[in-house]
Amino acid sequence: MQQPVRKAIFPVGGLGTRFLPATKALPKEMLPIVDMPLIEYAVQEAMAAGIEEFIFVTGRGKSAIEDHFDRHFELETTLSERGKTEALELVLQSTPKPGRIAYVRQGEPLGLGHAVWCARRFVGNEPFAVLLADDLIMSDPPTLARMVEVYEERGGNVISLMEVPSEHTSRYGIVEPGDDDGRIVDVQGLVEKPRPESAPSNLAIVGRYILQPDIMDYLSLGSLGTGNEIQLTDSMIKLIGNHPFHGLRLTGTRFDCGTKIGFLEANVAYALGRNDLDGDARSSIAAILEAF
Ligand code: UTP
């Protein structure tokens, strides 16, 4: 039996420069998709996968995230007194149980690998998940739960993959595939942001990972990679060979909410997917398309 995946890291220390000026004082991860912040979709996905401990790697100006996942007694009392039970339930659902949530400061946004390394003392010697909130995945069953299933069957490391157009490989970490049964790919190598002519495939890493704790040893070397950042991919490469390394093909739809268009698409898709908004959303979009 595998050691269970009980902990998840949420790296939220980035600057969110592609969303300025919105992200000058507001964390990118607090931007809402319809009416829920991006980070809460990620936390709910982790909860659905059985995660019990939530570790946020934060930075300057990110305190709204801490407040969001805390109790808000004044608001709860007011909602309760006004009989707004549905709203009260929504407020309470975003609060993990006491003592299950931890925050660590990254200090300087030196890259995703550095952010994950900053959580090392909270992770200890256990396998852990990493979720990037700006990679929003609409999938049933949710992506991390599917990955945990693969991990429980096969152990090792598990990452989530999607096919991208060949001309876009330089935007992603790309997998060198071995055996591939159409669902699970054996990962033989990884390259961060290769140009199309040197990419070993068009299978790209999406922001969901289950990793073995020895990755922290490699991250602690602090080697700079592509873009002069400490890349997570560079240390994942070193895990290949130490443990089995699986890539699970994504099901559903992934929205890159780190880009303006991806964020817009997610808002439209999630509104259309909601029973309470679907009809109105459709007619509003049709009217806008006609008017502009
Ligand atoms: P991005 O590459 O999207 O960077 O990070 P960013 O700073 O958030 O946004 P842009 O590119 O300036 O617009 C992917 C994820 O990794 C986290 C981010 O918060 C985001 O969730 N991250 C990135 C960190 O936590 N620390 C870092 O040093 C870099």
Side-chain angles (χ1 to χ4, degrees):
M1 223 182 73
Q2 320 295 345
Q3 204 180 354
V5 184
R6 300 185 313 115
K7 300 179 179 177
I9 301 175
F10 300 86
V12 292
L15 295 176
T17 53
R18 286 171 290 173
F19 269 95
L20 284 168
T23 47
K24 191 175 166 198
L26 179 77
K28 174 173 76 171
E29 299 78 10
M30 286 301 293
L31 293 173
I33 301 299
V34 183
D35 50 12
M36 193 159 87
L38 270 169
I39 188 67
E40 196 173 335
Y41 287 91
V43 166
Q44 287 191 1
E45 185 180 328
M47 285 177 171
I51 296 297
E52 295 167 8
E53 294 190 27
F54 305 82
I55 305 152
F56 289 78
V57 183
T58 72
R60 222 175 152 275
K62 300 280 180 166
S63 50
I65 297 178
E66 296 186 35
D67 291 338
H68 183 76
F69 290 107
D70 203 357
R71 297 290 297 270
H72 190 326
F73 292 108
E74 219 176 290
L75 177 64
E76 289 168 26
T77 310
T78 308
L79 291 173
S80 166
E81 281 169 1
R82 294 188 184 168
K84 299 202 177 252
T85 42
E86 259 178 53
L88 180 59
E89 268 170 39
L90 287 173
V91 166
L92 289 174
Q93 102 188 354
S94 60
T95 318
K97 294 198 184 83
R100 294 293 174 91
I101 190 159
Y103 296 91
V104 59
R105 289 265 181 162
Q106 191 180 1
E108 258 182 290
L110 298 179
L112 179 58
H114 180 255
V116 169
W117 175 77
C118 287
R120 67 199 177 282
R121 293 192 198 290
F122 294 88
V123 162
N125 199 24
E126 299 186 26
F128 61 91
V130 180
L131 294 97
L132 303 188
D134 43 12
D135 264 337
L136 179 62
I137 307 169
M138 192 187 246
S139 163
D140 185 17
T143 302
L144 190 65
R146 291 181 63 238
M147 293 169 66
V148 166
E149 249 175 54
V150 172
Y151 168 78
E152 283 171 351
E153 266 170 38
R154 305 184 182 209
N157 303 282
V158 186
I159 53 177
S160 172
L161 302 178
M162 69 172 187
E163 283 179 28
V164 296
S166 300
E167 62 274 23
H168 291 171
T169 56
S170 60
R171 299 180 191 175
Y172 301 92
I174 299 287
V175 160
E176 183 189 330
D179 287 348
D180 181 354
D181 68 6
R183 189 171 82 96
I184 299 173
V185 180
D186 179 39
V187 176
Q188 307 232 304
L190 295 163
V191 193
E192 186 61 29
K193 300 189 172 65
R195 288 204 305 269
E197 55 280 16
S198 52
S201 73
N202 67 340
L203 285 172
I205 307 173
V206 183
R208 300 290 182 279
Y209 314 77
I210 293 175
L211 297 171
Q212 294 298 321
D214 50 332
I215 194 163
M216 295 299 185
D217 299 336
Y218 300 118
L219 287 171
S220 68
L221 300 174
S223 319
L224 295 176
T226 311
N228 246 3
E229 292 196 342
I230 301 174
Q231 297 286 353
L232 185 61
T233 309
D234 293 340
S235 289
M236 289 198 301
I237 292 169
K238 302 194 176 122
L239 293 178
I240 300 172
N242 292 4
H243 314 274
F245 208 123
H246 314 286
L248 175 65
R249 277 196 167 75
L250 195 98
T251 54
T253 310
R254 174 256 188 185
F255 300 95
D256 181 0
C257 294
T259 69
K260 294 179 184 70
I261 291 296
F263 177 74
L264 178 68
E265 283 171 351
N267 267 294
V268 172
Y270 275 79
L272 292 175
R274 285 254 302 247
N275 292 337
D276 59 331
L277 296 175
D278 174 26
D280 287 348
R282 245 166 242 282
S283 46
S284 299
I285 292 163
I288 291 169
L289 287 174
E290 197 132 309
F292 290 89

